[in-house]
Amino acid sequence: MKSVSIVGTVGIPACYGGFESLAENLTLNVKENIEYTVYCSSRSYKEKPSTHNNTNLKYIPLKANGLQSIPYDIWSLMSCCVNRPNVVVILGVSGCIFLPLFRIISKSHVVTNIDGLEWKRDKWGKWTRRYLKFSESLAVKYSDVIVTDNQAITDYVQEEYGVNSKTIAYGGDHAIRDIKVKKPDEKYALGLCRIEPENNVNMILEAFAQSSEKLKFVGNWNASEFGRNLKKEYSIFENIDLIDPIYDLDELFKLRSCCSLYLHGHSAGGTNPSLVEMMHFGVPIFCFDCSFNRYSTEEKADYFSNSDDLLAMLNRHEDDTLLQNALDMKRIAQRRYTWKEVAYLYENIYQ
């Protein structure tokens, strides 16, 4: 039996987030010879079961996000020093400043998923970016295996640090639900993301404000001044429906399975879970033009760089080429973005 501890997530059962979904589905698809322990934030769970998916849960009394993510991850790693698992899987680099000391104390095999180059995100200030970049460098230096979720980040790690990393994306097949959905009479495009500048939400909304096409856009509009301002500005358009966050997979399935087009504006973060989830639906996808999205979709989506590009694309989103590309992306998702495949790839590197 090989013991594996997962550090760096809010925890499981997963409510929201790529790393949480990863932990959830690794433990759901586990082989019999692997025993997982997942570290969870006690601040995020009213009920605190000791097990989930036949996985041991350990609780840390700190938040897993924001500034507290650093002591949260370090506390989790210190617990691993005591419990001595065979493998420690670190998701994100917030607490990797502790890794040099951890490697002296612990004999665990360390696998670190460095996430989507967090230090490049616009939402962080200068000093936070410098810290995250330094922590990333320590993760690369002191981990036995580095995992990246997109070939573009794999290339970056090779160019920046001279280190070969393993490219393992996310599964998206959990988004397909076994329920019947009645198709609506009205066609609509769908957007779904955190409402942040780097996701180019304003670019998408600006294009639809000049179009007659219907848009349903799901996001945490009230979580920031940026989101609230966008909601105030664009909710006046009759063809734009701004919807508060939806976390229920069945409800999301209803929206996804009925849309005629999906908008993906992410410009950072590697392989985005919401994109690979949507690829399973065989719907045309318009992506912001960046290397991450082109790698994820294997060049089968259509790509925009500004609102004018997107507005022009909206006039032809039902042509035969786009529909064929949508089917190609579905086949890509069924080949690359299933949790069974992701679990298999992670379990191989534990060895």
Side-chain angles (χ1 to χ4, degrees):
M1 182 70 71
K2 187 177 290 289
S3 58
V4 180
S5 290
I6 298 178
V7 170
T9 79
V10 173
I12 58 174
C15 297
Y16 189 72
F19 278 159
E20 288 70 37
S21 294
L22 174 60
E24 179 83 43
N25 287 282
L26 287 179
T27 59
L28 271 175
N29 293 277
V30 64
K31 288 182 180 177
E32 292 183 357
N33 65 332
I34 294 175
E35 182 180 44
Y36 276 112
T37 296
V38 176
Y39 283 83
C40 309
S41 168
S42 63
R43 300 286 184 88
S44 299
Y45 293 94
K46 291 182 179 179
E47 298 182 4
K48 300 174 180 60
S50 59
T51 62
H52 176 70
N53 295 344
N54 294 317
T55 295
N56 299 315
L57 306 183
K58 291 186 178 295
Y59 294 91
I60 303 298
L62 294 170
K63 292 181 180 180
N65 297 314
L67 286 176
Q68 286 193 25
S69 66
I70 300 170
Y72 174 80
D73 286 3
I74 292 174
W75 193 331
S76 301
L77 288 170
M78 290 173 64
S79 177
C80 290
C81 291
V82 176
N83 296 314
R84 297 179 179 273
N86 300 121
V87 180
V88 174
V89 178
I90 304 173
L91 302 180
V93 301
S94 293
C96 287
I97 194 169
F98 182 67
L99 263 187
L101 182 58
F102 180 81
R103 296 312 304 264
I104 294 172
I105 301 171
S106 171
K107 294 183 179 180
S108 298
H109 189 72
V110 176
V111 177
T112 303
N113 184 323
I114 64 171
D115 202 9
L117 307 185
E118 275 292 307
W119 61 273
K120 284 191 172 184
R121 292 184 184 270
D122 293 337
K123 65 182 179 181
W124 302 125
K126 180 178 70 173
W127 293 107
T128 302
R129 290 186 198 179
R130 288 184 177 182
Y131 170 79
L132 289 171
K133 181 66 170 71
F134 177 62
S135 196
E136 174 191 276
S137 68
L138 293 177
V140 173
K141 182 176 181 179
Y142 289 97
S143 298
D144 295 294
V145 180
I146 290 295
V147 175
T148 57
D149 63 32
N150 189 284
Q151 185 61 43
I153 304 178
T154 301
D155 295 343
Y156 159 80
V157 172
Q158 178 60 49
E159 293 167 5
E160 182 77 4
Y161 301 107
V163 170
N164 293 321
S165 55
K166 302 288 186 181
T167 308
I168 308 177
Y170 299 105
D173 49 322
H174 64 287
I176 302 298
R177 316 297 288 178
D178 187 19
I179 58 175
K180 293 183 179 180
V181 178
K182 183 180 178 181
K183 295 285 185 179
D185 296 330
E186 186 180 34
K187 292 183 178 180
Y188 62 88
L190 178 66
L192 170 66
C193 70
R194 291 189 180 96
I195 309 305
E196 299 175 347
E198 65 193 22
N199 291 339
N200 291 303
V201 181
N202 53 332
M203 187 183 296
I204 294 170
L205 293 177
E206 184 179 340
F208 276 87
Q210 302 174 66
S211 170
S212 60
E213 296 287 330
K214 176 74 175 178
L215 172 67
K216 294 180 182 288
F217 207 122
V218 181
N220 55 338
W221 302 99
N222 296 317
S224 67
E225 184 178 0
F226 173 74
R228 289 188 292 271
N229 288 339
L230 286 179
K231 186 175 183 179
K232 181 179 180 181
E233 181 178 357
Y234 289 100
S235 58
I236 63 173
F237 293 91
E238 292 185 0
N239 65 315
I240 297 176
D241 185 11
L242 304 182
I243 303 170
D244 288 336
I246 298 173
Y247 303 114
D248 183 276
L249 287 174
D250 288 347
E251 293 302 314
L252 286 173
F253 175 79
K254 294 174 186 177
L255 277 175
R256 286 164 162 164
S257 61
C258 293
C259 73
S260 60
L261 172 69
Y262 185 72
L263 287 308
H264 186 74
H266 294 62
S267 62
T271 298
N272 186 266
S274 63
L275 176 57
V276 299
E277 288 166 7
M278 197 65 214
M279 288 173 66
H280 281 272
F281 286 83
V283 172
I285 298 175
F286 290 173
C287 291
F288 181 77
D289 194 357
C290 65
S291 58
F292 301 126
N293 294 336
R294 286 185 176 271
Y295 275 120
S296 297
T297 59
E298 295 186 8
E299 304 278 352
K300 293 298 183 181
D302 267 40
Y303 307 93
F304 61 91
S305 298
N306 52 57
S307 294
D308 290 338
D309 287 350
L310 180 54
L311 184 60
M313 292 161 61
L314 290 176
N315 295 324
R316 60 181 187 84
H317 77 262
E318 291 184 357
D319 71 26
D320 291 341
T321 300
L322 289 178
L323 294 174
Q324 182 58 53
N325 285 345
L327 294 176
D328 289 342
M329 281 188 285
K330 184 175 181 178
R331 284 190 281 268
I332 292 167
Q334 292 170 341
R335 169 170 49 86
R336 291 177 57 189
Y337 303 131
T338 67
W339 286 114
K340 183 177 180 180
E341 174 67 11
V342 171
Y344 169 78
L345 292 172
Y346 268 92
E347 289 168 357
N348 273 355
I349 61 177
Y350 300 160
Q351 311 306 321

